[in-house]
Each structure stands twice: as structure tokens, then as C-alpha cells.
């Protein structure tokens, strides 16, 4: 009951902060006083409890054993300036191209405090953010971003697409530029001091501390909102207020975190923006990938063959966004429409990750393997269950079935899992069926 009341109180505070931010266009200097025990308790409730442990090796369950005292201590240290942001523990996870991607794991207490500040920043900047951004915002999703882009292209009956790829965005955000952007709206010393400590907390790898002189906290709860604030200034407001008014035709920008695509009605507009994008991002210390940042013609194919039901991309281009490949296909009524399917790279990475998981966990009981594998497949299906993507979902289901059998066979040389045995096992432990497909909606 106490947690529920606390959540209601925090919700009221968040609404009050949002109203102040909406009414006051100047820097906000009195924010941190809103953060109290109830606020931290709500931040703790919103913080993910699972996952890896930070450098203190403390779990959420251990932190909860003396939660009130821990939160009181955390609040006092945060407000007095004595809080020391611990470095994140660096681990590596495999990428689809065979390389490894660094991942940072903060301590649980640090996650709670970062969540508290992220809640504050979200209340302020939700009044600033534009319609074109969809990532890590309440009530917004990747599917909405995809739907908005699809609707735009359909309304234009084809478009010139500019794909924007920022090289190692989260690792290369310039701290000075980020602070300058924050200072335009945030003037509270406590909030700014905490963010500064997180930016310079560094990482712990193989027992050695390494300084962070650029980028946002790896794996940090605060990173998504800081990225949104930064790119709101770098690209969103610039495009809407400076670039688009100078264009001759219609143009729409869609951004989900650092995944960006812009649709143009006219080729010359796409070329103009394409030409100035490197300078705009460079002004803030960011670099665009020279090969992955590209301009493509995305138009319906000519009706040369009436029996075609899916465009092959020749002469029209295809492009990827948020794990989906966008392509032209014939509707049931014979019209060309934009459809999406799982991108080849994403599909191969998904199957590789599932195979690696089965390999590492093949000694678990079959029942436990099935439970965890089912959750992973359901998660994939939930995201990719869109109209036009049934074939890719079928490939995942069939391939996972084969992968599971392959690694079950590696458990023992004596107890081989034949296809007949696998069919019987699958009757008892069935993999998820392909769910009903849904349309993308902005």
C-alpha cells in the first residue's frame, strides 16, 4: 500500500514538473528537491531486477534486504554531493559479424539513482521532444516509427530515402557538447553534478579502471534519455526548423534513438540534405559512417510482369530500419504497397544467438531448456509479427527446432535424439506457434 501511495505521489510530482517545463522556456534550476525517499522508492520499483551484477557484486535482492536504509543513504549522498559513481563492469557479447560488442553493467544502486534522474529528465524533455522521435519515450514504440515511415512513403507514392548511420554513437558522444546541450534547459547543480559523475565514472575491465572521456555510461539507465536529448538538438530540431522549410517537396524524418531515416518526395531535396548532414553531425563531434549513410531511390517497380507479387528491389532499392527490410509488394487488390520483413542480418544474428544459447545450456533439463527457449522465441515473434513477414517467422521456428535437436544430440553419444524422438519430444514441449500477424500503425 505504501509503495502504491508513493507511486501516486511521484506521478503527481512528474506532472507538476512537466507543467512547469511546458510553461517556463528558460533553464530550470530547482529540480532536485523533488527527489525524495518516495521518488527513489519508485525508481527502485521501475529498475530491472535481473541481469548482471556490477563491480560490487550486489544483487537487487540483496539491496532490498535493507531497502529503506539503503535509499536514505543514497538520497543523502546524492543531495550532499558525496555520491561517488562507481565504474561499470565491462563484459563483451558477440556480434553477428564475429566481433564483440562491449557492454557495461552498473551497480544496482547506481541503476536506481540513474533511474531517478532519468525520470526527472523525461518529465522535462517530453515537453521538448518532437513527433519525429520514437525511441525510449512513453507511449511510443519501434512499430510506430516504422508505421510512420511507411505511411509517409505510401502518401508520397514512393520516396528518396536517406539512411543515417552514426559511427559508434553511444561510445563517441562528446561530453562537452552534451553538457552544453543540457545546460540550455537544465540549471540544477545537483542533477548536472550527478550526470557529470556518470560520464566520467569509467569502466572496470580485468581489474583495471579505464577513464571515459567520451560516450554515455555503457549499459546505464541514464544513457537513452541523454542520447535522446543530444540528438533532439543535433538532428530533430535542426531538420524541422532549419532544413525542411528550405526544401521544395515533402520530407519526413523518423528517429528511434540513433536509428534515423528521412523520406523525401524530391531527389534534389535528398541530395541537398545528404550533402550537409556530415557537417551538421560533425559540429557536435559525431561522424557518419561513409558507406552505411546512403541515399536510395525507393519507388514502386514498374508493372512489367503482372504476376509479380513481391518486388525484387531492382532499380527501386530496399532499405533497413529497426531490424526490418522495407520493400515493395503487390497487395491482394493488385496495388503496390510498402511491406517489411526481417532483415537478413538480423535474422542470421538471431539464429546464431539461439544456437549459441542451446550450445551453452545443453546440459540443462529438457523442461528448463524448453521454458527459456520458448520465452526467447516468443520475444522474437512478438516484435517481428507484422504483415508480410510470415515467411521469416516460419524460418525461425523451423530452424530453432533443428538447432535444438542438434544440441540435444550433443548431450550424450548413447541417447541419440532421432527425428522420430524429436517429434515425440516436441509434442510434450512444443515451440511457440507463429502468432497472428498485425499491421504497422503510426
Amino acid at each position: 500500500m505504501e509503495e502504491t501511495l508513493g507511486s501516486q505521489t511521484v506521478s503527481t510530482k512528474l506532472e507538476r514538473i512537466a507543467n512547469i517545463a511546458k510553461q517556463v522556456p528558460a533553464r530550470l534550476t530547482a529540480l532536485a528537491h523533488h527527489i525524495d525517499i518516495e521518488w527513489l522508492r519508485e525508481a527502485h520499483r521501475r529498475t530491472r531486477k535481473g541481469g548482471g551484477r556490477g563491480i560490487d557484486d550486489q544483487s537487487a535482492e540483496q539491496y532490498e534486504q535493507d531497502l529503506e536504509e539503503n535509499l536514505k543513504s543514497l538520497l543523502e549522498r546524492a543531495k550532499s554531493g558525496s555520491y561517488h559513481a562507481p565504474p561499470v563492469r565491462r563484459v563483451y557479447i558477440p556480434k553477428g559479424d564475429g566481433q564483440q560488442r562491449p557492454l557495461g553493467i552498473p551497480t544496482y544502486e547506481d541503476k536506481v539513482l540513474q533511474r531517478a534522474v532519468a525520470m526527472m529528465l523525461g518529465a522535462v524533455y517530453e515537453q521538448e521532444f518532437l513527433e519525429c522521435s520514437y525511441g525510449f519515450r512513453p507511449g511510443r514504440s519501434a512499430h510506430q516509427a516504422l508505421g510512420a515511415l511507411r505511411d509517409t512513403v505510401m502518401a508520397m507514392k514512393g520516396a528518396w530515402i536517406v539512411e543515417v548511420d552514426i559511427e559508434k554513437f553511444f561510445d563517441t558522444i562528446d561530453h562537452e557538447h552534451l553538457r552544453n546541450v543540457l545546460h540550455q534547459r537544465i540549471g540544477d547543480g545537483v542533477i548536472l553534478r550527478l550526470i557529470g559523475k556518470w560520464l566520467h565514472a569509467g569502466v572496470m575491465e580485468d581489474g583495471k579502471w579505464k577513464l571515459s572521456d567520451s560516450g554515455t555510461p555503457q549499459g546505464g539507465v541514464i544513457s537513452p534519455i541523454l542520447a535522446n536529448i543530444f540528438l533532439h538538438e543535433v538532428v530533430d530540431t535542426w531538420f524541422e526548423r532549419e532544413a525542411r522549410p528550405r526544401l521544395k517537396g515533402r520530407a519526413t524524418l523518423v528517429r528511434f534513438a540513433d536509428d534515423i531515416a528521412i523520406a523525401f518526395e524530391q531527389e534534389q531535396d535528398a541530395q541537398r540534405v545528404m550533402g550537409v548532414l556530415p557537417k551538421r553531425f560533425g559540429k557536435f563531434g559525431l561522424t557518419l559512417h561513409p558507406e552505411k549513410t546512403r541515399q536510395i531511390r525507393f519507388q514502386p517497380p514498374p508493372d512489367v510482369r503482372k504476376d509479380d507479387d513481391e518486388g525484387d528491389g531492382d532499380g527501386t532499392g530496399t532499405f533497413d530500419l529497426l531490424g526490418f527490410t522495407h520493400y515493395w509488394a503487390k497487395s491482394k487488390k493488385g496495388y503496390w504497397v510498402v511491406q517489411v520483413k526481417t532483415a537478413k542480418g538480423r535474422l542470421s544474428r538471431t539464429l546464431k544467438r539461439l544456437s549459441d544459447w542451446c550450445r551453452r545450456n545443453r546440459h540443462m533439463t529438457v523442461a528448463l531448456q524448453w521454458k527459456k527457449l520458448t520465452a526467447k522465441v516468443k520475444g522474437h515473434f512478438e516484435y517481428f509479427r507484422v504483415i508480410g513477414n510470415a515467411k521469416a517467422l516460419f524460418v525461425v521456428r523451423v530452424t530453432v527446432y533443428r538447432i535444438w535437436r542438434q544440441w540435444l544430440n550433443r548431450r550424450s553419444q548413447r541417447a541419440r535424439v532421432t527425428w522420430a524422438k524429436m517429434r515425440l519430444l516436441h509434442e510434450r514441449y512444443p515451440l511457440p506457434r507463429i502468432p497472428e500477424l498485425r499491421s504497422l500503425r503510426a
Side-chain angles (χ1 to χ4, degrees), residues 85-206:
V88 299
R89 182 169 67 87
R90 176 175 282 177
V91 296
Y92 291 89
I93 59 176
K95 294 172 63 177
D97 57 5
Q99 299 181 352
Q100 290 187 318
R101 179 168 68 89
L103 179 68
I105 305 176
T107 64
Y108 182 75
E109 182 175 69
D110 206 42
K111 292 178 184 178
V112 171
L113 189 55
Q114 287 190 32
R115 175 65 65 191
V117 174
M119 289 160 55
M120 176 73 67
L121 294 177
V124 172
Y125 280 96
E126 272 302 310
Q127 319 313 312
E128 309 277 325
F129 291 153
L130 304 180
E131 285 295 313
C132 61
S133 69
Y134 293 85
F136 307 108
R137 295 181 59 189
R140 297 191 149 228
S141 68
H143 286 175
Q144 289 176 333
L146 293 165
L149 187 61
R150 178 187 182 278
D151 291 348
T152 294
V153 174
M154 290 291 292
M156 293 179 180
K157 299 181 180 180
W160 293 87
I161 303 294
V162 170
E163 293 181 273
V164 182
D165 186 279
I166 309 171
E167 286 194 291
K168 299 180 179 179
F169 170 66
F170 284 94
D171 296 332
T172 60
I173 294 179
D174 183 87
H175 289 174
E176 183 177 356
H177 285 304
L178 176 57
R179 281 193 296 268
N180 290 338
V181 170
L182 284 168
H183 286 183
Q184 294 176 21
R185 201 70 174 98
I186 307 298
D188 188 293
V190 173
I191 301 297
L192 292 174
R193 183 168 59 242
L194 285 172
I195 293 174
K197 289 182 178 182
W198 286 318
L199 292 177
H200 293 94
V203 298
M204 188 70 72
E205 184 176 5
D206 297 328

Side-chain angles (χ1 to χ4, degrees), residues 318-341:
T318 62
F319 67 94
D320 293 351
L321 182 68
L322 298 173
F324 288 94
T325 294
H326 294 65
Y327 65 97
W328 289 96
K330 282 288 187 68
S331 68
K332 292 181 179 180
K333 295 182 179 180
Y335 301 109
W336 285 109
V337 296
V338 177
Q339 289 196 350
V340 297
K341 58 186 176 183

Side-chain angles (χ1 to χ4, degrees), residues 162 238 242-248 264 266-278 295:
V162 170
W238 168 78
E242 297 184 35
R244 187 155 67 170
R246 293 180 169 86
L247 303 179
K248 294 184 177 180
F264 297 89
Q266 296 192 17
E267 180 183 8
Q268 59 182 334
D269 288 338
Q271 291 174 340
R272 288 182 63 191
V273 172
M274 186 75 173
V276 300
L277 279 176
Q295 172 188 321

